[in-house]
Amino acid sequence: MKIQELLKSIPFHQTTALLSDTVVTGIEVDSRLVRDGNIFVCIEGFTTDGHNYIQDAELNGAAAIISQKKVTANIPVIIVNDTNRALAMLASKFYQYPSNEVTLIGVTGTNGKTTVTYLLERIFQIAKKKTGVIGTIQMKIGEDTYPVENTTPNALELQKSLRKMVDEKVEHVLMEVSSHALDLGRVYGTDYDIAVFTNLSQDHLDYHSTLEDYLQAKSLLFSQLGNSYNKGKPRYAIVNQDDKATTLLKKVTAQPVLTYGCKNKADVEAKNIHIGASGTSFLLVTPIGDIDINSKLRGMFNVYNMLAAAACAIASNISLSNIKLALESMEGVSGRFEVVEEELPYTVIVDYAHTPDSLENVLQTIKEFSENKIYVVVGCGGDRDRTKRPLMANIAVSYADYAFFTSDNPRTEEPYRILEEMVDGLKKQTAYEVILDRKEAIYKAIHQAEQGDVVLIAGKGHETYQQIGLTKHYFDDREVAKQAIKSRE
Ligand SMILES: CC(=O)N[C@H]1[C@@H](OP(=O)(O)OP(=O)(O)OC[C@H]2O[C@@H](n3ccc(=O)[nH]c3=O)[C@H](O)[C@@H]2O)O[C@H](CO)[C@@H](O)[C@@H]1O[C@H](C)C(=O)N[C@@H](C)C(=O)N[C@H](CCC(=O)O)C(=O)O
Ligand SMILES: Nc1ncnc2c1ncn2[C@@H]1O[C@H](COP(=O)(O)OP(=O)(O)OP(=O)(O)O)[C@@H](O)[C@H]1O
Ligand SMILES: N[C@H](CCC[C@H](N)C(=O)O)C(=O)O
Ligand SMILES: [Mg+2]
């Protein structure tokens, strides 16, 4: 694409040199990956500043620089107010607005995003639509999977991935949209057909200064809904009527709203809810009719996830019978309430609960069906919201009979300090121990379990690493749990 054509996507900019008829061969944000004819976009990061690498980019053959500062270079420099936003606009144009060519569903909220996207994947697969998924676990195109760094990729990766999906005939894309992504403009210029909100509770207060700030970031998905390029498509906002944050989301969206809930009157509701040890049943009440659902997913929080997915499916013209078939055939999501081995005298569950609210939900669910003691193995991530540490520790001991506090990705923090911050906040004398090494903690918990006990290993779910310092060491809670179970025999 000619550079003049590409630059039409960022109308207000200044150039330091007259631009030739240069053909842009690609866009790059990492100077080390720049190739001949690429334009290099300088991003101010959290660790370093892309503006420091302009010379590297030049040496690697960059054709032009997009900068938000006055810089000197031997190639044209295009100055914009905000390079993050410019990147999103340029990438959307370079990849020819792929979000206009698929039905794009964005899911945001503190908990349940991954679960809702996989419920939707199942629903659209049952309805014989080719799907793509972008989220915490991986990126998926049909059945092909690709590793990811972030829950929501940066704008460049996102537009590239969406184009690949269009090329591979994907019709419905289900993607998680994190608050970081919304705040950093990773999804500007992306045209969502449906925006879904799960819930809001405390997380990420390291990044967002207050809960209001965090909500404001999440609300961008709703205020941006339908403000993009293709004006022809119907769009919907799907919101949780039982969550206070929904009031703001309804205000900021200009699109029709479909509500779901169990407590307050909503368009899509669950009635006669029964939460059992092996699954959940309820009557799904919707504007297009009512239908009984018998799901293998456990916990009240999963009723909410199923309602969010069902509301979204209804907005996408999927029949109730297909919704039922999909919800009932869903076995679960990797690392979410995953029972490690069936047929044991005790139960071992691996779950991705890494926020106070999710930990409480999952422990509440276990408490409802457990016959005996509950053991919990849990930690808190390093370089992340410190205020959730004492909250999670208190929740762990108030539901479990015994807690093992252990490492969960200490990253660049001193691992022991994180655990100290957890236990220092404990409000009552209680039964717990601190075991720094996660494998040792899992072994000890599993070795103590007796008939009818439940061991919950929380926080890492599907993750296959333990990050200590800057190094990710291979670690899978499910594999370690299996080894611990075997070592008892
Ligand atoms: C805080 C944050 O969002 N960081 C993201 C950011 O990294 P960074 O700010 O550290 O980038 P940096 O290293 O300072 O580099 C700045 C710029 O200089 C460039 N550079 C750097 C070196 C060089 O030699 N040449 C060069 O050009 C880099 O390519 C970059 O463009 O940009 C990277 C590339 O896009 C991201 O992978 C990285 O996410 C890190 C891994 C991260 O942990 N992010 C978390 C907090 C996050 O975003 N999480 C949310 C999910 C949260 C949830 O809902 O639970 C997510 O969406 O994943
Ligand atoms: N609707 C919900 N409400 C509260 N807790 C939930 C809900 N759904 C799932 N959980 C809990 O949160 C954990 C994470 O679920 P999930 O991965 O679906 O959320 P997520 O929003 O994608 O998280 P992340 O922000 O890490 O991407 C689950 O393992 C479960 O313990
Ligand atoms: N998306 C979340 C995942 C947290 C998972 C937990 N295992 C941790 O490392 O804190 C984050 O990056 O904050
Ligand atoms: Mg997720």
Side-chain angles (χ1 to χ4, degrees):
M1 184 181 291
K2 295 247 176 76
I3 195 158
Q4 285 94 335
E5 183 56 29
L6 185 59
L7 292 184
K8 284 183 189 159
S9 61
I10 43 169
F12 303 108
H13 62 261
Q14 296 169 352
T15 49
T16 57
L18 211 62
L19 291 167
S20 62
D21 243 14
T22 315
V23 172
V24 175
T25 55
I27 303 170
E28 202 29 87
V29 288
D30 187 334
S31 59
R32 293 161 291 196
L33 304 178
V34 168
R35 297 289 168 264
D36 269 348
N38 287 178
I39 57 168
F40 175 62
V41 185
C42 307
I43 301 290
E44 264 186 50
F46 289 83
T47 321
T48 181
D49 184 349
H51 294 85
N52 299 337
Y53 304 96
I54 288 175
Q55 269 190 337
D56 286 3
E58 260 187 79
L59 283 172
N60 285 336
I65 305 288
I66 310 281
S67 163
Q68 61 184 33
K69 296 177 182 168
K70 282 217 165 81
V71 289
T72 44
N74 299 313
I75 50 176
V77 177
I78 295 121
I79 309 266
V80 295
N81 287 332
D82 175 354
T83 47
N84 271 312
R85 190 181 273 251
L87 174 68
M89 297 307 177
L90 291 164
S92 299
K93 172 120 182 152
F94 188 79
Y95 291 103
Q96 297 161 41
Y97 302 109
S99 59
N100 288 346
E101 295 179 51
V102 287
T103 299
L104 182 60
I105 300 176
V107 184
T108 197
T110 307
N111 295 310
K113 300 182 293 296
T114 301
T115 308
V116 171
T117 55
Y118 281 92
L119 284 167
L120 284 168
E121 183 197 41
R122 186 91 198 110
I123 292 173
F124 288 115
Q125 282 175 348
I126 293 275
K128 304 261 179 299
K129 310 277 186 201
K130 183 160 180 183
T131 54
V133 183
I134 299 175
T136 315
I137 302 180
Q138 63 207 352
M139 176 173 93
K140 264 184 104 176
I141 302 183
E143 286 313 312
D144 297 336
T145 60
Y146 304 84
V148 294
E149 174 85 16
N150 289 105
T151 289
T152 309
N154 71 37
L156 190 59
E157 288 305 314
L158 174 61
Q159 300 306 327
K160 202 187 284 179
S161 301
L162 289 174
R163 173 50 56 196
K164 186 168 163 62
M165 289 185 179
V166 171
D167 290 346
E168 297 191 22
K169 309 272 182 290
V170 165
E171 293 158 277
H172 285 73
V173 180
L174 304 327
M175 79 173 274
E176 293 180 55
V177 191
S178 68
S179 57
H180 295 77
L182 286 157
D183 192 60
L184 292 168
R186 292 182 199 158
V187 300
Y188 282 139
T190 303
D191 189 5
Y192 290 93
D193 294 86
I194 301 181
V196 184
F197 171 65
T198 59
N199 48 61
L200 187 90
S201 64
Q202 181 178 330
D203 201 11
H204 305 308
L205 292 186
D206 53 324
Y207 181 90
H208 306 283
S209 47
T210 59
L211 209 58
E212 285 69 39
D213 257 22
Y214 176 40
L215 171 60
Q216 199 264 337
K218 295 238 170 261
S219 76
L220 291 173
L221 183 66
F222 294 83
S223 53
Q224 287 170 17
L225 183 65
N227 296 340
S228 205
Y229 302 90
N230 186 348
K231 302 279 189 266
K233 299 191 271 183
R235 295 183 173 83
Y236 301 97
I238 312 261
V239 292
N240 179 351
Q241 189 67 13
D242 297 342
D243 194 297
K244 292 202 293 296
T246 283
T247 313
L248 175 75
L249 305 182
K250 281 178 170 171
K251 272 192 197 142
V252 300
T253 182
Q255 303 302 328
V257 174
L258 196 63
T259 58
Y260 66 90
C262 303
K263 295 181 197 142
N264 297 311
K265 182 91 202 80
D267 298 316
V268 176
E269 297 179 335
K271 295 221 161 117
N272 312 332
I273 303 165
H274 176 76
I275 311 279
S278 54
T280 305
S281 64
F282 60 93
L283 179 70
L284 177 65
V285 178
T286 85
I288 57 166
D290 305 346
I291 199 159
D292 278 318
I293 304 288
N294 291 295
S295 156
K296 296 178 192 111
L297 304 187
R298 277 163 286 196
M300 194 56 205
F301 57 94
N302 272 321
V303 173
Y304 278 93
N305 293 338
M306 286 188 266
L307 287 180
C312 202
I314 289 164
S316 310
N317 294 320
I318 304 289
S319 69
L320 273 187
S321 55
N322 275 342
I323 295 173
K324 179 179 168 72
L325 211 58
L327 297 183
E328 295 193 343
S329 61
M330 184 76 178
E331 295 290 338
V333 181
S334 171
R336 274 78 183 152
F337 220 95
E338 190 173 327
V339 176
V340 172
E341 252 172 47
E342 304 288 347
E343 318 285 337
L344 293 173
Y346 50 93
T347 309
V348 179
I349 297 168
V350 167
D351 187 83
Y352 196 46
H354 55 79
T355 66
D357 183 56
S358 57
L359 187 62
E360 183 154 24
N361 275 307
V362 82
L363 279 167
Q364 220 159 38
T365 306
I366 292 173
K367 196 133 194 139
E368 273 163 33
F369 70 79
S370 80
E371 297 156 6
N372 213 345
K373 284 192 176 142
I374 302 175
Y375 294 97
V376 60
V377 178
V378 67
C380 284
D383 303 331
R384 294 287 187 273
D385 189 351
R386 288 171 63 181
T387 61
K388 67 182 185 181
R389 294 174 188 170
L391 302 178
M392 286 176 67
N394 277 298
I395 289 165
V397 298
S398 61
Y399 286 90
D401 297 277
Y402 200 89
F404 296 90
F405 296 118
T406 191
S407 301
D408 177 347
N409 297 331
R411 301 189 178 86
T412 64
E413 282 193 62
E414 176 57 53
Y416 200 75
R417 275 297 303 150
I418 300 173
L419 301 179
E420 261 176 2
E421 285 182 23
M422 290 183 81
V423 299
D424 280 355
L426 283 176
K427 290 204 185 91
K428 57 172 188 175
Q429 284 294 322
T430 152
Y432 74 86
E433 63 192 278
V434 171
I435 303 181
L436 207 56
D437 182 70
R438 193 170 177 96
K439 179 174 174 187
E440 200 184 319
I442 293 174
Y443 265 65
K444 192 140 188 209
I446 289 179
H447 276 257
Q448 285 189 6
E450 289 171 3
Q451 180 78 32
D453 290 347
V454 178
V455 178
L456 170 69
I457 305 168
K460 293 182 73 65
H462 64 280
E463 287 178 0
T464 50
Y465 59 84
Q466 174 80 299
Q467 186 177 341
I468 303 171
L470 296 177
T471 312
K472 285 184 175 174
H473 304 267
Y474 183 79
F475 195 97
D476 185 326
D477 277 353
R478 296 157 301 186
E479 283 178 17
V480 175
K482 277 189 192 150
Q483 290 157 12
I485 293 166
K486 206 154 192 281
S487 72
R488 281 177 55 132
E489 287 161 9

